[in-house]
Amino acid sequence: MKTLEMNTVCPYTGLRSFTEEESLYFKGRDYQVDQITALLEQNKFLMVTGASGEGKSSLIYAGLIPNARAGFFKARYTNWVVADFRPERSPVTNMAKSLAERFDQSAATIETELRRGFSSLVDLYTNSEFFADDDAPEWSTLPEAEKRNKKRKAANLLLIVDQFEEFFTNPENYHNEVPSLDSQIVVNLVLETARIAIKRNLPVYVVCTMRSDYIGQCSAFRGLPEYIGFSQFFVPRLKRKDLKQVIEEPAILSGNRISQRLIERLVFDISEGVDQLPILQHALSQVWLAADRGREEMDLIHYAKVGGMPADELPDEDQAAFRAWFSQLPESQRQFYAQTGLAKIIEIHASVLYENAWTYYNTQHPEKPLSQHDAKRILVNAFCCLTKIDNSRAVRNRVSLQEITAIINTPEFSTQVVGDVLNAFREEGNSFIRPFKTDDPSTHTLSPDTVLDITHESLIRNWNKLDKWAKREYEFYSTYLDFKKQLDRWKGSGKSSDFLLPIGPLTYFENWYKTCKPNAAWLMRYSEVRSDKATGLQEAQKTLGDIQQFLKKSARKVIVTKTFMKYGPQRIATF
């Protein structure tokens, strides 16, 4: 979020969570912030759960942390050290990196220590300058100046494990219903840290955020269900008066204006179900942009311009202005306004970006332009990589730019080309893919190792194209699993011709191969060899060669049958 002139600050975050710096605009949750503060004070451990899109992360980063720093949290010290991380694909490494930044130590050293024992995080804290042990016998012998200096540096430690469900959604962390060793290490560290903090009354606090539909899978970790039962907070739905605060107060605080009729319309349009808040925040951020970045009063006409309502429901004085604006839009963009509504704003916005990504890229690279077809192909493959099906629902999947480029598998599409096309979804106001582009020039270009992620799963659920792509990718994967069983039988028989595919299954799997076009990188994505990339790639290349050989030999075996099916016995006899 930019912080230049007051009237250029967008007080709405779109699909991303609020940050600590944006706590001024985080409204509607005051009572819940007080509740989680009291729970954490007492228990030193807190599992914040709730439906997707209910603002769990925002509640912690823009609610709890500012509350603690402001002195509304009863703790031993007034200062706070906050170490936060997401499990992602490497939970121990990510935890170590976060702690290394706070404790000014090597991440490798801390990771080694974390793997040695479940009390290592407590040891790291108590041996640091952030802990002043005034109960120790040697404390009384210290000079007063040294005591004051130690107390001035002392700080409470808050460890945040955000998106705890990634322990279950990432196959590196959870495979065949069994947690990985790294996952067990981190969870045990978290639980043991909380236990020791209570036993020794240390100012160490642990907070986790997790989608509530993954609570059942927590039984895979010993002791975790008991801790969740001991201290859990379920984030409730916002009431009508709270929603009004979410809409109106950030605009006032940022020096913008919003009409009462727009506030009433937005509250009226909010439907039941998931994604209430992400949809509302995204709509408000787009309305703010449509209102000349907040320079105009945000009103119904801006809501209609982003697709929130049909033009014929606008006040009479606004309809002519809207139609004049609408007539200037390209025909390809006007078609998206056939269906409007609050829940359609995300779809309209994402579809417009998808259609125009090639012009976005060509404006920046006129020397080597892309066709619209090529840009769309890059985006389809990229978004297929960034989603996956987990327990029959489409969820986010973090993947590096290099992996996406390898799966696209087109020589002229380098990581830079793929990254620059995806940048359209990373621009300010288009916060669909993380990491976002900011004022920092280093964020404008993605490196091959950059890990990309869809900002929020509400994009998957509210953009029909993306949902369709994710389901089609899952069908490809499901067919591959069926095919692999036949392939393994053939390989297990010593590649006997008796185990080649008959005409029916062969035709089915040949169609899958032509449509899916699997390559080594695609096979590697679904490979069980995950620890070593080189070994995984080698295994995937071998599997690809076996697939091609299996299909070729099966086709050769049934060539006579296929010929009869294609031409018929009469035509063959005549020939």
Side-chain angles (χ1 to χ4, degrees):
M1 182 175 293
K2 294 187 176 181
T3 55
L4 303 176
E5 301 173 29
M6 193 65 169
N7 63 354
T8 64
V9 174
C10 180
Y12 308 107
T13 59
L15 295 184
R16 63 177 177 82
S17 303
F18 280 85
T19 64
E20 185 180 344
E21 292 75 22
E22 296 161 344
S23 60
L24 175 66
Y25 306 120
F26 181 66
K27 298 298 176 182
R29 292 287 190 190
D30 293 345
Y31 181 59
Q32 285 83 38
V33 171
D34 291 339
Q35 285 181 299
I36 62 173
T37 300
L39 271 172
L40 191 58
E41 282 177 1
Q42 178 182 346
N43 301 329
K44 297 186 184 293
F45 174 88
L46 182 63
M47 176 66 79
V48 178
T49 61
S52 176
E54 287 300 330
K56 299 178 290 296
S57 298
S58 296
L59 185 64
I60 300 303
Y61 288 103
L64 175 66
I65 296 176
N67 212 40
R69 293 197 196 277
F72 297 108
F73 192 112
K74 296 175 185 177
R76 187 168 183 171
Y77 308 120
T78 55
N79 297 328
W80 286 86
V81 173
V82 179
D84 64 314
F85 71 98
R86 287 173 56 180
E88 299 175 357
R89 295 177 169 186
S90 309
V92 177
T93 301
N94 291 344
M95 186 179 187
K97 285 179 180 177
S98 178
L99 291 169
E101 292 176 5
R102 306 304 182 272
F103 288 88
D104 194 23
Q105 292 190 30
S106 160
T109 302
I110 290 184
E111 182 171 347
T112 302
E113 291 299 321
L114 293 178
R115 293 181 182 276
R116 282 183 179 170
F118 301 144
S119 64
S120 52
L121 177 54
V122 172
D123 295 336
L124 176 67
Y125 170 70
T126 54
N127 292 319
S128 73
E129 63 180 0
F130 299 122
F131 181 64
D133 190 4
D134 50 9
D135 294 328
E138 59 271 19
W139 180 265
S140 58
T141 63
L142 295 175
E144 287 300 321
E146 188 173 348
K147 288 181 181 178
R148 286 195 298 269
N149 185 47
K150 283 183 175 290
K151 285 185 176 181
R152 188 165 53 250
K153 292 181 179 179
N156 312 302
L157 174 62
L158 176 60
L159 179 70
I160 301 172
V161 188
D162 196 20
Q163 310 286 333
F164 195 89
E165 64 270 14
E166 289 181 357
F167 281 117
F168 308 109
T169 58
N170 289 341
E172 292 84 359
N173 302 333
Y174 190 75
H175 189 60
N176 290 334
E177 307 296 318
V178 178
S180 68
L181 178 60
D182 275 19
S183 297
Q184 291 176 336
I185 288 173
V186 171
V187 173
N188 287 332
L189 275 165
V190 165
L191 299 182
E192 185 68 6
T193 298
R195 188 190 68 78
I196 296 174
I198 292 175
K199 183 179 179 181
R200 294 171 53 183
N201 194 26
L202 295 173
V204 179
Y205 303 87
V206 178
V207 176
C208 307
T209 67
M210 181 178 67
R211 278 172 46 178
S212 53
D213 41 346
Y214 285 92
I215 284 182
Q217 288 171 266
C218 289
S219 59
F221 294 98
R222 187 183 299 274
L224 182 58
E226 289 80 3
Y227 260 84
I228 294 175
F230 165 63
S231 187
Q232 178 191 3
F233 181 81
F234 187 89
V235 180
R237 301 292 292 273
L238 288 176
K239 298 178 182 177
R240 181 184 175 89
K241 65 179 180 62
D242 300 322
L243 290 170
K244 283 191 172 184
Q245 284 184 13
V246 168
I247 297 167
E248 184 175 19
E249 291 189 18
I252 296 172
L253 290 167
S254 60
N256 296 292
R257 294 167 297 146
I258 185 167
S259 68
Q260 283 299 316
R261 60 187 182 183
L262 175 57
I263 295 171
E264 295 295 335
R265 176 70 189 233
L266 286 167
V267 173
F268 176 79
D269 284 352
I270 291 175
S271 60
E272 294 300 319
V274 297
D275 300 330
Q276 265 192 345
L277 292 178
I279 288 173
L280 178 61
Q281 282 289 333
H282 184 77
L284 286 166
S285 69
Q286 294 305 297
V287 167
W288 181 83
L289 288 170
D292 193 17
R293 301 177 67 86
R295 293 181 179 87
E296 302 172 16
E297 181 183 33
M298 290 177 275
D299 204 354
L300 293 175
I301 187 170
H302 306 111
Y303 187 44
K305 283 182 178 181
V306 300
M309 62 184 291
D312 54 13
E313 293 182 14
L314 284 171
D316 294 341
E317 65 270 19
D318 289 337
Q319 290 196 20
F322 177 85
R323 290 195 175 93
W325 169 84
F326 190 73
S327 65
Q328 301 298 316
L329 295 179
E331 178 59 36
S332 60
Q333 191 167 331
R334 275 184 268 171
Q335 62 176 323
F336 300 126
Y337 287 78
Q339 288 185 305
T340 58
L342 178 61
K344 288 290 181 182
I345 294 177
I346 290 178
E347 172 149 20
I348 292 171
H349 186 191
S351 296
V352 169
L353 291 177
Y354 172 67
E355 291 292 332
N356 297 324
W358 68 299
T359 57
Y360 169 87
Y361 177 88
N362 293 343
T363 301
Q364 298 181 344
H365 302 278
E367 74 287 352
K368 196 173 182 181
L370 276 180
S371 68
Q372 187 180 34
H373 175 268
D374 285 343
K376 284 184 173 181
R377 180 168 162 248
I378 289 172
L379 289 173
V380 171
N381 280 278
F383 276 108
C384 283
C385 292
L386 290 167
T387 53
K388 62 182 178 181
I389 302 295
D390 181 62
N391 290 332
S392 302
R393 57 175 177 259
V395 297
R396 295 177 295 178
N397 181 49
R398 292 171 59 82
V399 63
S400 71
L401 179 60
Q402 181 64 60
E403 290 173 299
I404 293 173
T405 307
I407 288 175
I408 294 173
N409 195 32
T410 303
E412 57 267 30
F413 297 162
S414 64
T415 53
Q416 183 179 350
V417 171
V418 174
D420 288 349
V421 172
L422 290 174
N423 279 346
F425 288 80
R426 298 174 55 236
E427 291 281 358
E428 182 191 10
N430 303 341
S431 52
F432 289 124
I433 294 178
R434 291 188 297 195
F436 311 121
K437 287 181 72 174
T438 66
D439 290 336
D440 184 356
S442 65
T443 65
H444 295 186
T445 303
L446 298 169
S447 70
D449 294 330
T450 302
V451 176
L452 301 170
D453 187 18
I454 289 175
T455 308
H456 198 277
E457 284 171 11
S458 55
L459 175 63
I460 305 173
R461 290 186 287 268
N462 291 280
W463 187 18
N464 288 336
K465 278 187 173 68
L466 180 50
D467 185 56
K468 191 182 300 181
W469 297 335
K471 288 176 179 174
R472 186 188 65 175
E473 175 68 16
Y474 183 66
E475 288 176 6
F476 286 156
Y477 171 58
S478 300
T479 304
Y480 168 65
L481 291 180
D482 293 339
F483 177 74
K484 197 168 185 305
K485 291 177 183 177
Q486 305 294 330
L487 178 68
D488 290 342
R489 287 180 61 214
W490 174 66
K491 288 165 63 178
S493 69
K495 298 187 176 181
S496 166
S497 60
D498 294 336
F499 288 84
L500 293 173
L501 293 170
I503 185 69
L506 174 63
T507 304
Y508 177 75
F509 289 125
E510 280 182 332
N511 289 334
W512 163 79
Y513 186 81
K514 290 174 185 176
T515 309
C516 178
K517 298 177 182 176
N519 55 44
W522 187 89
L523 294 171
M524 189 178 172
R525 176 185 177 184
Y526 298 111
S527 171
E528 294 185 5
V529 182
R530 303 184 183 279
S531 56
D532 182 6
K533 286 187 177 181
T535 305
L537 181 59
Q538 187 178 5
E539 183 68 26
Q541 289 170 337
K542 184 176 182 301
T543 301
L544 182 62
D546 289 338
I547 289 172
Q548 293 166 342
Q549 186 184 21
F550 185 43
L551 290 174
K552 187 175 180 180
K553 288 191 173 183
S554 296
R556 190 178 300 156
K557 182 181 178 182
V558 299
I559 189 168
V560 175
T561 306
K562 289 181 75 174
T563 305
F564 269 89
M565 290 178 65
K566 185 174 181 179
Y567 298 107
Q570 186 64 41
R571 289 181 63 189
I572 292 174
T574 303
F575 178 74

